[in-house]
Amino acid sequence: MSRPLLPLKAGAIVFTLLWTAWMMWWSGSFSSANVIILALCGAVVGYLWYRAMRWQFERMGMLPGKDDSSRAS
């Protein structure tokens, strides 16, 4: 795990947990099927959020690009 991406990955985990908790509270149903479906959806949403933020931060120059990390090695 590279150091520049560590806060972004931690943020994605926090976003996933908050999104999943909010969807469970909003649905009002805590059945096992609902919890499993929302946990899977939360994982997908968290991953998509991570990819979108990583792309945006690389585009803004706040993270090293994919080519920059291979040159540093």
Side-chain angles (χ1 to χ4, degrees), residues 16-69:
T16 300
L17 294 173
L18 289 174
W19 187 90
T20 304
W22 176 260
M23 289 295 116
M24 282 188 208
W25 179 80
W26 184 66
S27 72
S29 173
F30 295 103
S31 66
S32 59
N34 192 39
V35 170
I36 291 170
I37 290 170
L38 287 176
L40 292 174
C41 290
V44 170
V45 167
Y47 178 74
L48 292 176
W49 184 85
Y50 167 77
R51 296 301 295 179
M53 290 299 105
R54 182 174 175 176
W55 174 78
Q56 183 64 28
F57 289 158
E58 285 176 353
R59 196 170 77 89
M60 292 170 53
M62 295 173 68
L63 288 175
K66 294 176 184 168
D67 297 334
D68 294 339
S69 62

